[in-house]
mmCIF file of all heavy atoms in Angstrom:
data_model
loop_
_atom_site.group_PDB
_atom_site.id
_atom_site.type_symbol
_atom_site.label_atom_id
_atom_site.label_comp_id
_atom_site.label_asym_id
_atom_site.label_seq_id
_atom_site.Cartn_x
_atom_site.Cartn_y
_atom_site.Cartn_z
ATOM 1 N N LEU A 51 -8.491 -10.778 -3.835
ATOM 2 C CA LEU A 51 -9.015 -9.437 -3.665
ATOM 3 C C LEU A 51 -10.351 -9.455 -2.929
ATOM 4 O O LEU A 51 -10.654 -8.583 -2.114
ATOM 5 C CB LEU A 51 -9.125 -8.727 -4.996
ATOM 6 C CG LEU A 51 -7.762 -8.368 -5.662
ATOM 7 C CD1 LEU A 51 -7.977 -7.787 -7.036
ATOM 8 C CD2 LEU A 51 -7.007 -7.405 -4.762
ATOM 9 N N TYR A 80 -5.089 -1.593 -2.972
ATOM 10 C CA TYR A 80 -6.065 -2.414 -3.700
ATOM 11 C C TYR A 80 -7.324 -2.685 -2.820
ATOM 12 O O TYR A 80 -8.437 -2.286 -3.220
ATOM 13 C CB TYR A 80 -5.461 -3.727 -4.194
ATOM 14 C CG TYR A 80 -4.798 -3.509 -5.528
ATOM 15 C CD1 TYR A 80 -3.585 -2.839 -5.654
ATOM 16 C CD2 TYR A 80 -5.412 -3.928 -6.690
ATOM 17 C CE1 TYR A 80 -3.003 -2.626 -6.895
ATOM 18 C CE2 TYR A 80 -4.839 -3.731 -7.926
ATOM 19 C CZ TYR A 80 -3.617 -3.079 -8.010
ATOM 20 O OH TYR A 80 -3.047 -2.825 -9.238
ATOM 21 N N ILE A 84 -10.936 -0.725 -3.634
ATOM 22 C CA ILE A 84 -12.085 -1.599 -3.977
ATOM 23 C C ILE A 84 -13.194 -1.376 -2.997
ATOM 24 O O ILE A 84 -14.402 -1.287 -3.347
ATOM 25 C CB ILE A 84 -11.658 -3.067 -4.069
ATOM 26 C CG1 ILE A 84 -10.675 -3.274 -5.204
ATOM 27 C CG2 ILE A 84 -12.882 -3.979 -4.267
ATOM 28 C CD1 ILE A 84 -9.985 -4.628 -5.219
ATOM 29 N N ALA A 87 -14.831 2.086 -3.554
ATOM 30 C CA ALA A 87 -15.689 2.145 -4.708
ATOM 31 C C ALA A 87 -17.032 1.414 -4.453
ATOM 32 O O ALA A 87 -18.089 1.788 -5.007
ATOM 33 C CB ALA A 87 -14.977 1.521 -5.909
ATOM 34 N N TYR A 103 -1.375 1.615 -9.730
ATOM 35 C CA TYR A 103 -2.499 0.965 -10.385
ATOM 36 C C TYR A 103 -2.022 0.453 -11.765
ATOM 37 O O TYR A 103 -0.891 0.696 -12.154
ATOM 38 C CB TYR A 103 -3.689 1.923 -10.538
ATOM 39 C CG TYR A 103 -3.308 3.277 -11.096
ATOM 40 C CD1 TYR A 103 -3.230 3.522 -12.479
ATOM 41 C CD2 TYR A 103 -2.999 4.355 -10.231
ATOM 42 C CE1 TYR A 103 -2.886 4.776 -12.975
ATOM 43 C CE2 TYR A 103 -2.628 5.608 -10.707
ATOM 44 C CZ TYR A 103 -2.589 5.804 -12.097
ATOM 45 O OH TYR A 103 -2.219 7.025 -12.592
ATOM 46 N N ASN A 104 -2.899 -0.273 -12.437
ATOM 47 C CA ASN A 104 -2.520 -0.855 -13.716
ATOM 48 C C ASN A 104 -2.274 0.233 -14.753
ATOM 49 O O ASN A 104 -3.084 1.119 -15.012
ATOM 50 C CB ASN A 104 -3.614 -1.794 -14.205
ATOM 51 C CG ASN A 104 -5.029 -1.150 -14.116
ATOM 52 O OD1 ASN A 104 -5.468 -0.838 -13.028
ATOM 53 N ND2 ASN A 104 -5.662 -0.963 -15.250
ATOM 54 N N ASP A 170 -0.528 -11.165 -9.933
ATOM 55 C CA ASP A 170 -1.704 -11.372 -10.765
ATOM 56 C C ASP A 170 -2.746 -10.315 -10.583
ATOM 57 O O ASP A 170 -3.332 -9.772 -11.531
ATOM 58 C CB ASP A 170 -2.323 -12.753 -10.470
ATOM 59 C CG ASP A 170 -1.448 -13.906 -10.899
ATOM 60 O OD1 ASP A 170 -0.598 -13.707 -11.784
ATOM 61 O OD2 ASP A 170 -1.605 -15.036 -10.382
ATOM 62 N N HIS A 171 -2.977 -9.946 -9.326
ATOM 63 C CA HIS A 171 -3.995 -8.925 -8.994
ATOM 64 C C HIS A 171 -3.633 -7.598 -9.707
ATOM 65 O O HIS A 171 -4.472 -6.935 -10.290
ATOM 66 C CB HIS A 171 -4.073 -8.702 -7.512
ATOM 67 C CG HIS A 171 -4.456 -9.908 -6.730
ATOM 68 N ND1 HIS A 171 -4.288 -10.003 -5.379
ATOM 69 C CD2 HIS A 171 -5.073 -11.067 -7.099
ATOM 70 C CE1 HIS A 171 -4.761 -11.183 -4.952
ATOM 71 N NE2 HIS A 171 -5.223 -11.830 -5.992
ATOM 72 N N ARG A 172 -2.368 -7.229 -9.574
ATOM 73 C CA ARG A 172 -1.955 -5.935 -10.121
ATOM 74 C C ARG A 172 -1.904 -5.898 -11.635
ATOM 75 O O ARG A 172 -2.017 -4.839 -12.226
ATOM 76 C CB ARG A 172 -0.588 -5.549 -9.506
ATOM 77 C CG ARG A 172 -0.729 -5.190 -8.028
ATOM 78 C CD ARG A 172 0.557 -4.680 -7.427
ATOM 79 N NE ARG A 172 1.530 -5.760 -7.222
ATOM 80 C CZ ARG A 172 2.662 -5.610 -6.586
ATOM 81 N NH1 ARG A 172 3.021 -4.440 -6.073
ATOM 82 N NH2 ARG A 172 3.490 -6.627 -6.464
ATOM 83 N N LEU A 173 -1.740 -7.062 -12.277
ATOM 84 C CA LEU A 173 -1.728 -7.123 -13.726
ATOM 85 C C LEU A 173 -3.137 -7.314 -14.311
ATOM 86 O O LEU A 173 -3.410 -6.870 -15.437
ATOM 87 C CB LEU A 173 -0.788 -8.223 -14.203
ATOM 88 C CG LEU A 173 0.719 -8.015 -13.979
ATOM 89 C CD1 LEU A 173 1.479 -9.255 -14.402
ATOM 90 C CD2 LEU A 173 1.181 -6.804 -14.735
ATOM 91 N N GLU A 174 -4.015 -7.933 -13.565
ATOM 92 C CA GLU A 174 -5.281 -8.301 -14.118
ATOM 93 C C GLU A 174 -6.479 -7.471 -13.639
ATOM 94 O O GLU A 174 -7.458 -7.304 -14.370
ATOM 95 C CB GLU A 174 -5.574 -9.790 -13.794
ATOM 96 C CG GLU A 174 -4.552 -10.739 -14.430
ATOM 97 C CD GLU A 174 -4.709 -12.178 -13.961
ATOM 98 O OE1 GLU A 174 -5.673 -12.458 -13.215
ATOM 99 O OE2 GLU A 174 -3.892 -13.010 -14.369
ATOM 100 N N TYR A 175 -6.412 -6.985 -12.401
ATOM 101 C CA TYR A 175 -7.532 -6.222 -11.898
ATOM 102 C C TYR A 175 -7.442 -4.778 -12.311
ATOM 103 O O TYR A 175 -6.423 -4.126 -12.192
ATOM 104 C CB TYR A 175 -7.629 -6.314 -10.362
ATOM 105 C CG TYR A 175 -8.872 -5.660 -9.800
ATOM 106 C CD1 TYR A 175 -10.059 -6.343 -9.807
ATOM 107 C CD2 TYR A 175 -8.878 -4.360 -9.363
ATOM 108 C CE1 TYR A 175 -11.248 -5.755 -9.355
ATOM 109 C CE2 TYR A 175 -10.027 -3.737 -8.919
ATOM 110 C CZ TYR A 175 -11.215 -4.451 -8.887
ATOM 111 O OH TYR A 175 -12.373 -3.853 -8.473
ATOM 112 N N ASP A 176 -8.550 -4.206 -12.816
ATOM 113 C CA ASP A 176 -8.552 -2.848 -13.328
ATOM 114 C C ASP A 176 -8.822 -1.837 -12.181
ATOM 115 O O ASP A 176 -9.945 -1.339 -12.044
ATOM 116 C CB ASP A 176 -9.647 -2.725 -14.407
ATOM 117 C CG ASP A 176 -9.612 -1.374 -15.096
ATOM 118 O OD1 ASP A 176 -8.614 -0.595 -14.888
ATOM 119 O OD2 ASP A 176 -10.561 -1.034 -15.841
ATOM 120 N N LEU A 177 -7.810 -1.608 -11.396
ATOM 121 C CA LEU A 177 -7.970 -0.706 -10.256
ATOM 122 C C LEU A 177 -8.203 0.719 -10.750
ATOM 123 O O LEU A 177 -8.871 1.515 -10.068
ATOM 124 C CB LEU A 177 -6.720 -0.732 -9.364
ATOM 125 C CG LEU A 177 -6.887 -0.068 -7.998
ATOM 126 C CD1 LEU A 177 -7.806 -0.915 -7.122
ATOM 127 C CD2 LEU A 177 -5.557 0.152 -7.313
ATOM 128 N N ARG A 178 -7.697 1.076 -11.914
ATOM 129 C CA ARG A 178 -7.880 2.404 -12.481
ATOM 130 C C ARG A 178 -9.371 2.733 -12.541
ATOM 131 O O ARG A 178 -9.777 3.859 -12.184
ATOM 132 C CB ARG A 178 -7.262 2.451 -13.877
ATOM 133 C CG ARG A 178 -7.451 3.779 -14.572
ATOM 134 C CD ARG A 178 -7.142 3.624 -16.054
ATOM 135 N NE ARG A 178 -5.759 3.164 -16.230
ATOM 136 C CZ ARG A 178 -4.762 3.988 -16.523
ATOM 137 N NH1 ARG A 178 -4.969 5.251 -16.623
ATOM 138 N NH2 ARG A 178 -3.550 3.501 -16.716
ATOM 139 N N ASP A 180 -11.813 1.711 -10.697
ATOM 140 C CA ASP A 180 -12.304 1.998 -9.376
ATOM 141 C C ASP A 180 -11.854 3.380 -8.896
ATOM 142 O O ASP A 180 -12.599 4.138 -8.299
ATOM 143 C CB ASP A 180 -11.889 0.943 -8.338
ATOM 144 C CG ASP A 180 -12.660 -0.347 -8.455
ATOM 145 O OD1 ASP A 180 -13.750 -0.313 -9.071
ATOM 146 O OD2 ASP A 180 -12.197 -1.368 -7.961
#
Side-chain angles (χ1 to χ4, degrees):
L51 290 174
Y80 275 75
I84 295 170
Y103 48 86
N104 47 297
D170 291 338
H171 299 163
R172 289 185 287 187
L173 290 175
E174 297 172 4
Y175 186 81
D176 187 11
L177 193 70
R178 178 195 299 263
D180 284 343

